[in-house]
Amino acid sequence: MGVEYRQTPSILSTEDLEQRRARLEEHRARLREVFGPFRHTCQVATVHARSGEVIEACDGVFIASRTVYMALGNIADGGAEPAVFYTTLEKYWTAVDDLGKAVRLEGP
């Protein structure tokens, strides 16, 4: 998901609102394509987790990713400014970082 999110700023910089909306909808379609493998990875990580902290962190990444996706929909519909993407993306990256820390603390 993060790879796809890195492409979003160039889409959001599109000045023509109708063109930006169309590009965002294409981008959201791509996000839906990669969501399946992303979701599977989250599920596998949760199954193999040995601590509640890792499970909670996996859930946090999953929820944060959904929040970014929904924010992009709101931006495409004109219901939110592009700045909302950056706020939600920051929370996504924080969740990813929290997952990494939880996994490292869990140990072998």
Side-chain angles (χ1 to χ4, degrees):
M1 299 303 289
V3 170
E4 294 299 322
Y5 294 149
R6 286 185 178 101
Q7 297 176 26
T8 309
S10 68
I11 296 167
L12 293 176
S13 69
T14 304
E15 302 238 352
D16 179 271
L17 295 180
E18 195 56 35
Q19 185 180 18
R20 179 176 30 182
R21 185 197 60 74
R23 290 184 68 200
L24 277 171
E25 288 306 322
E26 290 172 7
H27 186 52
R28 291 180 81 223
R30 175 67 184 138
L31 288 169
R32 285 189 299 273
E33 288 175 17
V34 299
F35 185 76
F38 169 76
R39 181 177 174 185
H40 177 75
T41 299
C42 286
Q43 290 170 333
V44 168
T46 299
V47 166
H48 291 284
R50 294 187 310 263
S51 71
E53 290 80 10
V54 171
I55 293 169
E56 186 177 312
C58 284
D59 291 345
V61 171
F62 186 81
I63 291 166
S65 181
R66 182 182 186 283
T67 303
V68 174
Y69 177 81
M70 297 304 289
L72 290 173
N74 288 334
I75 294 166
D77 293 340
E81 293 297 316
V84 170
F85 165 74
Y86 297 101
T87 302
T88 59
L89 185 66
E90 183 177 327
K91 292 176 183 177
Y92 170 80
W93 288 122
T94 298
V96 169
D97 188 50
D98 290 347
L99 175 58
K101 289 176 186 173
V103 168
R104 284 191 300 278
L105 288 174
E106 191 172 69

